Amino acid sequence: MASTSERPPAFRLSAVLSGHTNDVRCVIAETSRPPTKSPRLASASRDGTARLWLQEEKGAAGTQWRESYRWCEEDRAYENAVAFVPPDVEGGRNGYLATAGADSLIQLYPLDPPQSEPAFKLTGHAHNVCALDVSADGSKIASASWDMTARVWEWTGTEEGYACDKVLVDHEAAVWDVLLLQKEPDLLLTAAADNRVRLFDLATAQVRYTFKGHTGPVRALAKLLPEDLDCALFASASNDGTIMIWNYQSGDSITSLGSHDSYIYSLTSLPTVGGGGLASAGEDGIVKLWNEDDGELDQEILVPALSVWSVTALPNGDIACACSDNLIWVFTRDATRCADQATITEYEDKLELHSAREELPADGSPNRRPRASPSAPAINDESALEAGGQEQQVKLWHEHEWQEMGEMVEGPPTGEAAGKNKEQPRMEFDGQEYDFVFSIDVADDTPPLPLPYNRDSDPRSVASTFVQTHALPDSYVERIVDFIHAHTRP
């Protein structure tokens, strides 16, 4: 058990990276970059762009981050994921940046030097691609999609570039994350919205183990002690707010860590040089640091954003967070890389605007401060749902206030009424007939948005597509699913 004196130093603010004009959905560090070169980050955003960030030495002024390149295609759907693909000099393969998003495409852009046109486009997924992972040698790319599959793409050494080698289909809902196991390249972990983690044998495309324990969609995976290739432990995080530790070789559940107050979206393991441990982040706007030795909570970092979508660890031990405030926040345990006073002041001001109650410590340490109000979304059942009324509404807690989220308009009756009147006419929307057409109010100053639905449709897929189409927070998905279930089940 680590004593207080043995625990690593606290993270403090290092930098804030601005440029994106919408939620930054993913940030990833280039872990294969030689230590003699400046660290790089890549980010993906709902603004439809992917960006490359470079940290430069500024002498006595320390270090400074700058945007070094931007990939932006006209009318490109929003981006969800990015991954660095290391080069293979001997094999003649260049290094690439892989991007993926709502258009179901995976695109690989040359990196050194960066080029605006993709060298390869990987097609095959039928829905939003939400996560990517790459093998240490760059020969494999794994992808996760809302089409309920994970795919593995292999380098062919031809003009084709990468080709789909395996399609993993044993999921009952959207696949949120994938993790290639570097020591055992024929194994892949997947995290899915059916509350399960699965270990696939890529030689056979069959499930070796199914890890059960979470009570909500599993959103993130991370291998523990990544520098120790013999370590068989990994972590999973879920919408249920918990982090669970497993052994992928035995299939056993080892333990669980503390929890978040809301959905957990991202996990990353920290290198030993940065003090080691595990970082988690999610809908509560907090990054939590878990001790490598005993699994206890070392620190909570409050980020001035509603959601922290992604967290990544740099080789030097710093962490970067991609957030719903359109920014990337970087934190460090190294005093030589701490932010200047102007940046700390900006951080303080944003925290105050985010309704934090306590004063920021004078040393600029970004420790957690309690929120003025909860951020976890919830249905206001008593005041929003009228069981016997002609019009039924649902509200969502979002941005610290109740927002009217849905109004059920005419549709086939449910419950006893459904049995009495089986000839209820279907509703027409956009030239097609549906069992239901819900009207979803997302803002007071805009008309309600129609949500057509058939009884044989998958509620989660319909809700996810609706949220994606209208660029709504991911936290709406579960609420819409609950709303659909409440009003369509007989």
Side-chain angles (χ1 to χ4, degrees):
M1 176 92 69
S3 68
T4 303
S5 60
E6 295 171 338
R7 293 190 179 278
F11 277 94
R12 299 172 64 187
L13 181 65
S14 177
V16 56
L17 313 185
S18 61
H20 283 295
T21 58
N22 207 327
D23 287 38
V24 187
R25 294 304 306 270
C26 181
V27 63
I28 191 73
E30 186 178 18
T31 56
S32 62
R33 192 164 173 81
T36 55
K37 294 188 177 182
S38 299
R40 292 196 296 194
L41 292 168
S43 58
S45 169
R46 273 185 169 155
D47 64 13
T49 70
R51 304 185 188 219
L52 188 66
W53 309 85
L54 184 69
Q55 187 183 49
E56 297 176 319
E57 295 288 341
K58 292 295 182 181
T63 60
Q64 184 176 8
W65 286 93
R66 68 175 178 87
E67 181 184 313
S68 63
Y69 200 81
R70 181 187 311 177
W71 289 269
C72 180
E73 293 188 16
E74 188 176 355
D75 299 325
R76 182 82 199 270
Y78 72 71
E79 301 280 8
N80 285 318
V82 285
F84 286 99
V85 181
D88 178 6
V89 177
E90 293 183 1
R93 188 186 68 240
N94 297 320
Y96 301 99
L97 185 74
T99 70
D103 59 7
S104 76
L105 291 176
I106 301 169
Q107 304 201 80
L108 277 72
Y109 295 90
L111 257 184
D112 295 303
Q115 296 180 25
S116 60
E117 294 297 320
F120 309 109
K121 292 186 179 182
L122 311 185
T123 61
H125 280 297
H127 212 317
N128 184 37
V129 180
C130 51
L132 298 169
D133 194 27
V134 180
S135 63
D137 63 2
S139 64
K140 282 188 176 71
I141 299 173
S143 55
S145 172
W146 287 0
D147 64 9
M148 299 191 291
T149 72
R151 288 176 178 251
V152 178
W153 313 80
E154 291 270 4
W155 174 252
T156 65
T158 67
E159 293 183 356
E160 182 184 15
Y162 288 83
C164 184
D165 180 59
K166 292 290 186 298
V167 181
L168 310 176
V169 298
D170 292 287
H171 307 94
E172 298 177 8
V175 183
W176 278 107
D177 203 7
V178 284
L179 179 63
L180 287 160
L181 298 168
Q182 304 300 347
K183 183 183 179 181
E184 301 182 66
D186 285 332
L187 296 180
L188 175 75
L189 286 162
T190 66
D194 58 12
N195 308 351
R196 303 287 186 262
V197 176
R198 293 171 175 82
L199 178 68
F200 283 88
D201 184 335
L202 297 182
T204 62
Q206 299 299 310
V207 176
R208 180 177 295 184
Y209 293 123
T210 299
F211 301 88
K212 302 177 181 180
H214 285 295
T215 59
V218 187
R219 300 292 293 267
L221 300 167
K223 184 184 179 298
L224 301 185
L225 304 176
E227 294 150 306
D228 180 3
L229 295 182
D230 292 326
C231 177
L233 302 182
F234 73 94
S236 62
S238 166
N239 280 5
D240 63 17
T242 66
I243 301 168
M244 301 190 71
I245 308 299
W246 316 83
N247 184 312
Y248 73 80
Q249 291 180 340
S250 67
D252 294 332
S253 171
I254 305 301
T255 189
S256 61
L257 302 182
S259 62
H260 281 251
D261 294 334
S262 190
Y263 305 156
I264 305 176
Y265 295 141
S266 184
L267 295 171
T268 191
S269 290
L270 279 61
T272 302
V273 69
L278 181 73
S280 58
E283 183 72 9
D284 57 9
I286 298 168
V287 178
K288 296 193 177 189
L289 288 306
W290 308 92
N291 190 272
E292 182 174 286
D293 295 325
D294 56 21
E296 295 296 319
L297 183 64
D298 274 340
Q299 188 183 0
E300 293 182 326
I301 300 174
L302 181 63
V303 180
L306 178 68
S307 304
V308 181
W309 296 117
S310 174
V311 61
T312 188
L314 284 91
N316 62 11
D318 292 357
I319 57 174
C321 314
C323 302
S324 59
D325 60 359
N326 310 346
L327 300 173
I328 300 167
W329 295 88
V330 183
F331 299 92
T332 186
R333 283 171 166 161
D334 189 328
T336 65
R337 293 194 293 273
C338 288
D340 57 26
Q341 188 56 51
T343 305
I344 292 174
T345 299
E346 178 187 3
Y347 175 70
E348 292 178 358
D349 291 343
K350 288 181 180 293
L351 284 174
E352 292 304 320
L353 290 173
H354 203 59
S355 301
R357 288 179 175 173
E358 298 176 359
E359 292 297 324
L360 182 70
D363 65 357
S365 176
N367 291 307
R368 179 187 180 182
R369 298 184 293 175
R371 294 180 178 276
S373 53
S375 64
I379 288 181
N380 183 6
D381 294 303
E382 294 182 357
S383 62
L385 297 179
E386 301 176 12
Q390 296 297 315
E391 187 174 81
Q392 299 182 7
Q393 296 179 330
V394 62
K395 294 185 179 181
L396 182 78
W397 183 267
H398 182 58
E399 297 285 8
H400 311 302
E401 64 180 2
W402 284 109
Q403 295 183 359
E404 184 178 296
M405 192 184 101
E407 174 184 311
M408 190 178 80
V409 298
E410 284 189 57
T414 60
E416 294 181 6
K420 295 176 182 178
N421 183 12
K422 296 182 179 180
E423 301 302 322
Q424 176 74 21
R426 287 160 61 83
M427 301 189 66
E428 184 174 329
F429 172 74
D430 201 20
Q432 298 184 47
E433 290 188 344
Y434 295 90
D435 293 328
F436 298 86
V437 177
F438 301 115
S439 180
I440 307 296
D441 292 329
V442 295
D444 292 337
D445 57 350
T446 59
L449 302 173
L451 175 60
Y453 179 78
N454 284 320
R455 289 187 184 278
D456 59 356
S457 299
D458 174 40
R460 185 173 302 279
S461 178
V462 171
S464 297
T465 300
F466 180 83
V467 165
Q468 169 195 326
T469 300
H470 298 290
L472 300 173
D474 278 4
S475 55
Y476 277 44
V477 172
E478 294 301 318
R479 301 301 98 194
I480 293 174
V481 169
D482 290 344
F483 179 67
I484 291 173
H485 283 158
H487 293 97
T488 61
R489 284 177 173 169

